[in-house]
């Protein structure tokens, strides 16, 4: 209590007298739970239990949102945010990380627009970016208490601590990813090791209240067809339980939709997988989840046989779980397709094996079918037939087998085949190549020396990026197609990639990355490869990469070919024409031409014509 201009000493003395026996105000005790806020408070009290974070305002996770932001259609972009709040999102994840966007300005612009919409701004924001500058800028335009998504130990303790201290000063809660200097933690043991180390650093060295820490022990894609990935979901659930038991007051979150990337193209199955995962992860203590709040599939609604198949996958209950689920999904899709189209008699696509010699078409069809189904039944016999018809193993590999692979890639791109099937196809290809191996003649002598003939490919996740699951799948698919793959790992500096390229003389190099800063790294890397005189084709792949960005920013820094590869089924067929000396020059010239055209298309400004031209175009009414 006190005075102001105009109140005299006597006046103040009277106030003092009047309140002399009043107790001073004691501030309320510190919250014991995590409190977040937009315009309204969102306490995470035990009764609330679970916070769903809307994932759709993410340029990397929604094509629609990306388009709206790119086109500056901000009010429609806001509608996506509003719809998520209407659908029950309690927090909104916002991500503007895209290669061809100015993420800092898009983020701050969108946040300022959000702040003016009370229906949306009611809920707290989760700022999602892999660029620290974007996060820092974003916090400058957020009222209330936000969550930062994310920090991690991937660049070591120093950067981690300095980021955490800055967040502490700005008063945000934080998602901590289970990454460290070695990469992303994928096993149960590594996930808890990284989280407990981060917990200690944050609580002991930064003085961050543990209730402000939200661990993300990495929701990774399951049912990819690779056995190494089978326990990913189970290990997440186990790590969640461990964190909730051993790291007091800390929370657990995860990006649930990552789980089901293998079933892109079948949203029902994806959502059913999410429901099953959430059911188990929540029981283990997961109290945040980034997801699509519009999903209506619940655990209880899932048909029992599908539920069992999904649960087998998520809880890693049997080695053939992926196989069985894929089969079931395939049958579901086939039934849906059959119901949608007029009844057709042509179900028997596989001609019965007969002793009569097969025509070339029939044989090609059988080989293509074997690849599509990922089976090896009868493959040996068919390949022997093919040897007679085609005359050489190479002609079979480059002809019908490569065509079959192309077809699989096409079906995958259309969402008609799923990732585990592509991996199976690759394994069939491997068997086919092995069966043909003894018939390959080799210049150096009679005994085959496969590793000397096999084209060598170098793969690396670029510096600053720890993601490698997609790249590992590429490695398997390429190895199955007869490539000798050397994987340099994650967070590989351009210098190390150049050094390895000089030492190993690969026929091609693949650069991979999931986050936007990786794109700049890729550019640096190809520039340094170019300076080192390396000209072999470079493949670019990963979530934030695109054909346009590759043409605009990466290909321009390299004299050789730089191919953007959209998914793991494409590396082999796309690379093939660049490795064959007969077609390499043409393929490179054609690629450069296409990329030139893309650049021109992109560079064309909203055409402003000359004054004369404009006048010449005026409407003539008479
Ligand atoms: N942890 C943390 N943050 C994250 C993730 C995480 N942020 C991003 C991501 N992972 C979570 N968000 C999404 C958003 C969308 C999708 C997946 C994860 C998704 N999108 C559809 C797809 O790619 O098939 C695209 C649909 C469309 O274009 O409309 O699945 O793990 N801390």
């Amino acid at each position: 209590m006190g005075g102001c201009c105009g109140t005299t000493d006597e006046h103040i003395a009277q106030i003092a007298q009047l309140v002399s026996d009043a107790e001073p105000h004691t501030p309320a005790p510190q919250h014991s739970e995590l409190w977040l806020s937009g315009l309204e408070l969102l306490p995470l009290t035990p009764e609330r239990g679970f916070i769903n974070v809307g994932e759709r305002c993410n340029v990397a996770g929604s094509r629609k949102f990306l388009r709206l932001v790119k086109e500056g259609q901000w009010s429609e972009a806001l509608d996506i945010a509003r719809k998520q709040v209407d659908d029950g999102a309690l927090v909104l994840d916002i991500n503007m990380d895209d290669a061809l966007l100015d993420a800092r300005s898009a983020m701050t612009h969108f946040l300022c627009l959000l702040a003016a919409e009370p229906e949306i701004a009611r809920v707290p924001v989760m700022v999602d970016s892999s660029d620290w500058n974007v996060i820092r800028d974003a916090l400058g335009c957020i009222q209330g208490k936000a969550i930062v998504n994310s920090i991690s130990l991937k660049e070591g303790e120093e950067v981690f601590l300095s980021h955490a201290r800055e967040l502490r000063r700005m008063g945000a809660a934080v998602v901590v990813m289970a990454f460290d200097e070695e990469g992303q933690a994928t096993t149960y043991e590594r996930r808890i090791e990284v989280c407990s180390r981060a917990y200690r650093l944050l609580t002991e060295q930064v003085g961050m209240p543990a209730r402000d820490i939200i661990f993300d022990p990495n929701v990774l894609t399951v049912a990819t067809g690779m056995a190494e990935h089978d326990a990913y979901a189970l290990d997440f659930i186990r790590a969640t339980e461990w964190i909730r038991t051993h790291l007091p007051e800390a929370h657990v979150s995860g990006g649930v939709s990552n789980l089901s990337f293998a079933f892109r193209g079948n949203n029902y199955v994806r959502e059913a997988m999410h429901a099953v995962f959430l059911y188990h992860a929540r029981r283990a203590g997961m109290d945040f989840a980034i997801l699509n709040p519009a999903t209506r599939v619940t655990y209880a609604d899932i048909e029992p046989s599908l539920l069992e198949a999904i649960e087998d996958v998520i809880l890693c209950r049997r080695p053939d779980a992926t196989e069985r689920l894929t089969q079931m999904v395939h049958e579901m899709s086939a039934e849906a397709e059959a119901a949608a189209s007029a009844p057709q008699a042509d179900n028997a696509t596989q001609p019965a094996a007969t002793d009569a010699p097969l025509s070339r078409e029939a044989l090609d069809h059988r080989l293509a079918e074997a690849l599509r189904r990922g089976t090896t039944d009868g493959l040996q016999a068919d390949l022997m037939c093919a040897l007679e018809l085609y005359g050489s193993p190479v002609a079979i590999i480059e002809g019908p087998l490569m065509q079959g692979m192309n077809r699989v890639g096409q079906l995958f791109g259309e969402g008609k085949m799923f990732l585990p099937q592509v991996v199976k196809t690759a394994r069939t290809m491997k068997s086919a190549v092995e069966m043909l191996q003894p018939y390959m003649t080799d210049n150096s002598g009679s005994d085959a020396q496969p590793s000397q003939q096999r084209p060598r490919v170098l793969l690396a996740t670029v510096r600053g990026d720890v993601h490698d699951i997609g790249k590992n799948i590429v490695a398997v698919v390429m190895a199955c197609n007869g490539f000798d793959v050397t994987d340099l790992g994650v967070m590989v500096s351009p210098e190390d990639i150049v050094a390895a390229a000089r030492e190993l003389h690969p026929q091609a190099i693949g650069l991979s990355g999931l986050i936007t800063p990786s794109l700049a790294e890729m550019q640096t890397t190809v520039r340094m490869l170019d300076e080192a005189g390396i000209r072999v084709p470079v493949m670019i792949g990963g979530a934030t990469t695109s054909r346009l960005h590759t043409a605009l920013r990466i290909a321009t820094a390299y004299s050789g070919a730089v191919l953007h590869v959209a998914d793991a089924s494409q590396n082999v067929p796309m690379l093939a024409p660049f490795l064959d000396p007969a077609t390499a020059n043409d393929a490179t010239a054609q690629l450069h031409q296409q990329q030139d055209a893309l650049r021109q298309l992109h560079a064309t400004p909203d055409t402003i014509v000359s004054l004369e031209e404009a006048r010449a175009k005026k409407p003539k009414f008479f």
Side-chain angles (χ1 to χ4, degrees):
M1 301 191 75
C4 191
C5 41
T7 45
T8 59
D9 290 351
E10 293 77 34
H11 186 97
I12 304 265
Q14 289 210 7
I15 294 176
Q17 212 179 358
L18 282 168
V19 300
S20 60
D21 54 354
E23 282 288 308
H25 166 74
T26 41
Q30 281 260 326
H31 305 306
S32 56
E33 287 108 16
L34 167 61
W35 288 66
L36 299 166
S37 76
L39 289 177
E40 293 169 13
L41 270 178
L42 174 69
L44 186 62
T45 51
E47 326 51 281
R48 180 176 298 278
F50 185 73
I51 304 278
N52 59 343
V53 182
E55 69 175 19
R56 310 307 299 173
C57 290
N58 180 342
V59 293
S62 160
R63 268 158 297 193
K64 183 173 174 196
F65 189 71
L66 173 65
R67 178 176 58 78
L68 295 174
V69 170
K70 273 198 172 154
E71 292 173 0
Q73 303 206 43
W74 295 103
S75 82
E76 288 79 0
L78 283 172
D79 287 342
I80 292 189
R82 195 184 335 269
K83 172 155 189 315
Q84 294 192 92
V85 177
D86 288 346
D87 284 333
L90 296 174
V91 174
L92 292 179
D93 182 87
I94 317 269
N95 181 320
M96 296 290 183
D97 286 354
D98 178 81
L100 301 171
L101 265 182
D102 175 352
R104 292 172 78 165
S105 78
M107 178 64 91
T108 51
H109 186 66
F110 189 64
L111 288 172
C112 290
L113 294 174
L114 268 189
E117 303 279 333
E119 279 312 302
I120 310 174
R122 196 154 74 68
V123 306
V125 167
M126 178 182 269
V127 187
D128 188 348
S129 179
S130 37
D131 180 346
W132 183 247
N133 292 315
V134 173
I135 289 177
R136 200 193 281 124
D137 287 359
L139 288 179
C141 14
I142 296 174
Q143 52 195 337
K145 177 161 171 176
I147 307 172
V148 161
N149 180 10
S150 58
I151 62 172
S152 81
L153 280 160
K154 71 177 181 182
E155 285 157 306
E157 289 188 5
E158 207 174 309
V159 176
F160 179 72
L161 290 172
S162 100
H163 287 173
R165 290 200 174 99
E166 205 170 338
L167 292 183
R168 189 77 196 104
R169 191 176 59 72
M170 294 189 282
V174 63
V175 174
V176 179
M177 298 299 307
F179 303 160
D180 69 2
E181 297 88 337
E182 281 170 30
Q184 61 182 344
T186 57
T187 61
Y188 166 73
E189 289 76 15
R190 284 266 300 144
R191 296 186 213 223
I192 67 177
E193 172 202 322
V194 176
C195 291
S196 52
R197 176 174 166 217
Y199 184 88
R200 260 184 287 113
L201 289 168
L202 291 174
T203 53
E204 291 168 16
Q205 298 204 27
V206 182
M208 186 176 281
R211 57 179 176 274
D212 280 3
I213 305 172
I214 304 168
F215 283 111
D216 186 327
N218 302 328
V219 177
L220 306 170
T221 307
V222 292
T224 59
M226 284 173 62
E228 298 90 308
H229 304 163
D230 285 353
Y232 277 170
L234 179 64
D235 282 354
F236 180 99
I237 295 166
R238 291 172 62 212
T240 298
E241 189 159 14
W242 188 92
I243 290 167
R244 298 289 279 169
T245 320
H246 294 87
L247 306 178
E249 293 186 49
H251 305 275
V252 171
S253 176
V256 176
S257 303
N258 307 347
L259 182 77
S260 60
F261 282 140
F263 288 101
R264 275 190 168 147
N266 190 324
N267 273 337
Y268 178 76
V269 169
R270 288 190 67 179
E271 291 189 8
M273 288 174 74
H274 303 162
V276 173
F277 177 76
L278 275 172
Y279 173 79
H280 292 285
R282 282 181 65 169
R283 289 194 349 164
M286 181 191 205
D287 54 354
F288 280 78
I290 307 173
L291 42 71
N292 181 357
T295 178
R296 291 288 165 259
V297 182
T298 65
Y299 184 85
D301 292 339
I302 304 168
E303 189 269 314
S305 64
L306 180 63
L307 177 63
E308 186 185 307
I310 293 177
E311 225 148 39
D312 284 345
V313 166
I314 295 200
L315 303 177
C316 193
R317 291 195 300 210
R318 44 191 298 166
D320 59 351
T322 294
E323 174 88 41
R324 284 161 54 102
L325 179 60
T326 313
Q327 184 60 32
M328 196 174 280
V329 173
H330 196 72
E331 281 161 16
M332 284 165 63
S333 313
E335 270 170 37
E337 209 152 280
S341 63
Q344 280 183 351
D346 185 28
N347 272 338
T349 39
Q350 190 84 339
T354 57
D355 291 336
L358 286 166
S359 70
R360 192 178 270 217
E361 287 91 66
L363 189 60
D364 286 0
H365 180 71
R366 286 171 66 93
L367 291 174
E369 275 296 291
L371 285 172
R372 190 181 65 72
R373 294 172 186 219
T375 58
T376 49
D377 297 344
L379 186 61
Q380 178 83 37
D382 286 346
L383 287 174
M384 294 308 108
C385 268
L387 267 178
E388 266 170 39
L389 275 170
Y390 280 87
S392 91
V394 177
I396 302 172
I397 294 173
E398 287 175 356
L401 291 180
M402 201 52 83
Q403 267 167 29
M405 287 292 289
N406 270 328
R407 175 85 187 116
V408 168
Q410 196 184 350
L411 289 167
F412 180 59
E414 292 166 2
K416 292 182 179 160
M417 271 180 81
F418 306 109
L419 189 56
Q421 294 169 301
V422 172
V423 173
K424 257 179 97 175
T425 293
R427 298 209 164 110
T428 300
M429 185 72 175
K430 180 172 191 239
S431 307
V433 173
E434 280 165 3
M435 289 171 189
L436 291 171
Q437 203 81 55
Y439 303 91
M440 297 207 187
T441 43
D442 162 11
N443 301 337
S444 60
S446 55
D447 36 343
Q449 290 178 310
S451 74
Q452 279 190 5
Q453 304 171 335
R454 279 156 59 189
R456 197 188 335 269
V457 58
L458 202 62
L459 299 180
T461 301
V462 296
R463 183 167 58 194
D465 201 329
V466 295
H467 299 90
D468 63 355
I469 294 175
K471 185 192 62 180
N472 293 340
I473 295 172
V474 168
V476 168
V477 172
M478 294 199 82
C480 288
N481 279 275
F483 282 83
D484 178 2
V485 179
T486 305
D487 185 350
L488 300 176
V490 299
M491 296 193 282
V492 189
S493 70
E495 291 80 4
D496 288 351
I497 296 172
V498 170
R502 282 193 152 143
E503 190 193 322
L504 297 170
H505 302 291
Q507 273 74 51
I509 299 171
L511 302 179
S512 174
L514 184 135
I515 55 178
T516 9
S518 300
L519 298 166
E521 280 298 329
M522 290 174 177
Q523 193 186 36
T524 312
T525 306
V526 297
R527 174 168 305 122
M528 289 181 57
L529 285 168
D530 196 69
E531 283 163 8
I534 291 160
R535 296 290 180 270
V536 296
V538 174
M539 301 173 289
I540 300 291
T544 46
T545 64
S546 68
R547 210 159 75 96
L548 182 60
H549 177 272
T550 303
L552 287 175
R553 308 277 156 80
I554 309 181
T556 43
Y558 191 65
S559 320
V562 184
L563 297 79
H564 174 255
V565 187
D567 63 65
S569 73
Q570 295 297 306
N571 295 66
V572 172
M574 281 187 70
L575 194 58
F578 293 88
L579 297 189
D580 181 347
T583 50
N585 285 341
D586 280 355
T588 308
Q590 202 181 0
L591 177 73
H592 283 160
Q593 211 172 28
Q594 284 166 359
Q595 290 178 333
D596 253 340
L598 268 179
R599 281 189 288 266
Q600 272 173 24
L601 213 61
H602 191 76
T604 315
D606 299 336
T607 333
I608 296 176
V609 299
S610 68
L611 185 59
E612 291 76 50
E613 200 179 329
R615 281 183 176 149
K617 282 184 176 171
K618 76 178 173 190
K620 297 188 179 68
F621 297 106
F622 304 106

